[in-house]
Amino acid sequence: MRTSAPAVSVTAVQETVVSEVADARRLAIAAAAVRSIALTFIFAFVTVAAVELITRQSTGATFTFLTTLAQPGWTTCGLFFLALLALDGLIGRRHKAILILGPLAILLALTSEQKQIFLTDPLYPTDLLFGRQIMELMPALVRDRPWTAVGIVVGAIAAAGALISLWVFAWKRFRQLTLTQRALRLALAVPLLAGFGSILDYNQYSPVRDRLQVFPIMWDQTENYRHNGFMLAFAINVPMANVKAPAGYSADAIDHINQEPLPAGTSHRGKPDVIVVMSESLWDPTRLSNVKLSPDPMPLIRKSESGAIFSPEFGGLTANVEFEALTGFSNAFLPTGSIPYQQYVRDPIPSLATFFRGEGYTARAIHPFAGWFWNRTSVYKSFGFETFKTEETMPPMTKRGIFASDEDLTREIIRQADAQQDPFFFFTVTLQGHGPYEANRYAKNTIKVEGSLPYADNQILSTYAQGVKEADDSLKMLMDWAKNRDRETIIVVFGDHLPPLNTVYTSTGYMNNITAERRGPVEQMKREHETPLVVWSNKTGVREEIGTISPALLPYHILKEAGYEHPYYTGFLGRVQERYDIIDRYQLIRGDGNATTDWSRKKTIDPLVRDYRFLQHDIMFGKRRGLDRFFPAHAGVVGAAS
């Protein structure tokens, strides 16, 4: 007799099925989560690769950055991955973050690549403060590179269409995250991002940062962006607006800066009028190799040249040169990539304007463009100028392209000068020489360019040389007017930086690249950063043998020519000038050409340069302990104006 198998409980079977279904569901959810996380990382990797390819313009360099353990390529991918997770958690939908952060990163990379073409430097966070300036100059840029502009417009339209399509696709296909999934993403990503942000300050040492191969190289931004990659280098530069006191700075350190007594008999020669003209992109194009310009576009400037300005910039960033020339302070002591006019000039700061006003002068700034450009309206007020004449407050001027002509601007300077009763200090920034140099800017180019240049380069150089000729003609007009004046009139003219001539430099062999190097042998640096300097008086003629100097030393020579002495501008800067001609963030150059490279990284810094740095920090960011001793007229001028 057979025995029957025990009956299986229906309930047990149901429980087993339910359990298996639950396990399968959990497995499916886990698999989906893994796929989602993996896809997010793929998005991060592809975006970082695209950004680096755009900014480096090299497949090999991009591959090396993403594969070597000596650079933070994987760190960058990991951080971008965390940022995507965090933003997805905030939005509440999978993979939506890539449609926000991805295009933003690509746009910044493209902007950086274009900035490097024109201005050498990559994109800095502070550049975002003057986007309006770029838009104002856009018409000139479009005329200079019309097909590039067409490509950008077409590309922008195509990119916008693609992005909209992706958003529609994502809205349908990328599912919402549960509250638990959102919380997990935020719990993972936010603390890690915050922790990394806390070690990003380049002023503080971090062993964790070192282990991640992130090395802030603030003294060499080219290397900073090359080693760390665009995203991390850009993030590292965010704190640059927070200027910390240099090591050793204190009230006692300021008190111990030597202030030599002014020499006896320092009375001036009847308060001469002073006109300073910073001529946009003024440079000697006859220095180009393998080309000949005829006739000489700048005979008067060449005959009257007192020396040269060693510009800390190339092709742009005029405001940084202007900052040095008006204050006697140096960009070398400020974070790389910073723009004092945009970031640091908020309160009254001593300048040539406050000095001359203290001597009873009228101090006026003149520039035939908008007052907001480079924040000049606010800055000039902080510098102590009584008035600032802009295109809005001056008569209409003839244009060269879209820029006011030097000729009409010079006539306006003369008109305003003739209306003055008191002695005056005018600081003028011209505009005609601004690039790019489109072929049809002038009705007729009178300077012939000879040499085996490509047609486009020939057109650019011809346009630029014509502008130099008209700048030279305008200086002659100003000098001829001054020669007929009874009162002594001092005229100072200098270029702010070399012009952005693009491939003209490489086609002629003048430079290895279309933009100047930031560091190199003294001879090369002077070749790529020197602009003409004229210091002339209608009574004494040309002030000769000034040499090649930083713009920060210009106030010393202006006041010496005018017969004044001052605790800072002739006293302290005079001591600096005796030892150094050029104060650059990468090197200090003496009059004999000997250079101290990477001086700021050395354990021992020349006490004179150290005091220079201390005093500048004290006045710009500190307690102004040295204000009364080194700028005695400043308080009175500022108080009278308030």
Side-chain angles (χ1 to χ4, degrees), residues 347-398:
D347 300 316
I349 290 180
S351 73
L352 286 178
T354 53
F355 165 77
F356 279 111
R357 285 185 61 192
E359 294 293 329
Y361 280 62
T362 294
R364 177 173 297 170
I366 304 171
H367 180 50
F369 203 58
W372 57 260
F373 201 74
W374 286 125
N375 199 32
R376 282 191 174 103
T377 296
S378 175
V379 169
Y380 286 159
K381 183 177 181 181
S382 295
F383 281 176
F385 284 99
E386 294 167 284
T387 54
F388 174 27
K389 296 293 185 178
T390 68
E391 65 176 352
E392 296 96 342
T393 57
M394 290 189 292
M397 296 183 186
T398 303

Side-chain angles (χ1 to χ4, degrees), residues 355-570:
F355 165 77
F356 279 111
R357 285 185 61 192
E359 294 293 329
Y361 280 62
T362 294
R364 177 173 297 170
I366 304 171
H367 180 50
F369 203 58
W372 57 260
F373 201 74
W374 286 125
N375 199 32
R376 282 191 174 103
T377 296
S378 175
V379 169
Y380 286 159
K381 183 177 181 181
S382 295
F383 281 176
F385 284 99
E386 294 167 284
T387 54
F388 174 27
K389 296 293 185 178
T390 68
E391 65 176 352
E392 296 96 342
T393 57
M394 290 189 292
M397 296 183 186
T398 303
K399 298 297 179 72
R400 299 290 189 266
I402 64 170
F403 304 120
S405 73
D406 285 352
E407 179 182 0
D408 275 13
L409 178 60
T410 302
R411 295 186 190 281
E412 179 62 16
I413 293 171
I414 292 172
R415 185 189 71 80
Q416 293 188 34
D418 285 340
Q420 299 300 312
Q421 297 296 323
D422 296 328
F424 61 83
F425 166 63
F426 283 178
F427 180 78
T428 303
V429 182
T430 73
L431 194 58
Q432 177 178 329
H434 206 294
Y437 306 103
E438 67 278 9
N440 60 348
R441 179 177 294 190
Y442 301 99
K444 181 180 180 181
N445 288 355
T446 61
I447 305 300
K448 184 178 180 181
V449 178
E450 297 177 289
S452 56
L453 281 179
Y455 178 77
D457 288 346
N458 188 291
Q459 292 292 305
I460 290 172
L461 182 55
S462 179
T463 296
Y464 175 72
Q466 182 66 29
V468 172
K469 177 191 181 301
E470 297 197 9
D472 194 79
D473 292 343
S474 296
L475 176 58
K476 184 179 185 302
M477 181 196 306
L478 193 60
M479 284 184 171
D480 288 345
W481 163 78
K483 289 174 183 176
N484 294 319
R485 304 189 79 216
D486 292 332
R487 180 181 290 170
E488 180 177 8
T489 305
I490 295 170
I491 296 173
V492 178
V493 176
F494 66 98
D496 53 351
H497 50 68
L498 268 70
L501 296 178
N502 266 304
T503 52
V504 171
Y505 291 119
T506 51
S507 296
T508 59
Y510 188 77
M511 297 192 314
N512 294 328
N513 300 300
I514 63 174
T515 53
E517 297 293 336
R518 292 293 184 182
R519 56 197 304 155
V522 172
E523 181 181 353
Q524 178 188 1
M525 290 297 95
K526 286 188 175 183
R527 185 171 66 252
E528 298 182 1
H529 289 273
E530 278 184 339
T531 65
L533 169 63
V534 173
V535 179
W536 176 88
S537 166
N538 64 345
K539 302 299 182 184
T540 60
V542 176
R543 183 179 179 89
E544 298 178 340
E545 299 181 353
I546 289 179
T548 300
I549 62 171
S550 288
L553 295 175
L554 191 56
Y556 166 78
H557 293 281
I558 292 174
L559 265 60
K560 278 294 187 181
E561 180 64 22
Y564 286 100
E565 297 290 346
H566 182 268
Y568 180 77
Y569 292 121
T570 61

Side-chain angles (χ1 to χ4, degrees), residues 150 161 417:
V150 170

Side-chain angles (χ1 to χ4, degrees), residues 102 184 213 300 317 325 352 365 409 478 610 620:
L184 287 174
Q213 301 301 312
L300 180 60
L317 294 176
L352 286 178
L409 178 60
L478 193 60
R610 177 203 63 200
M620 291 187 66

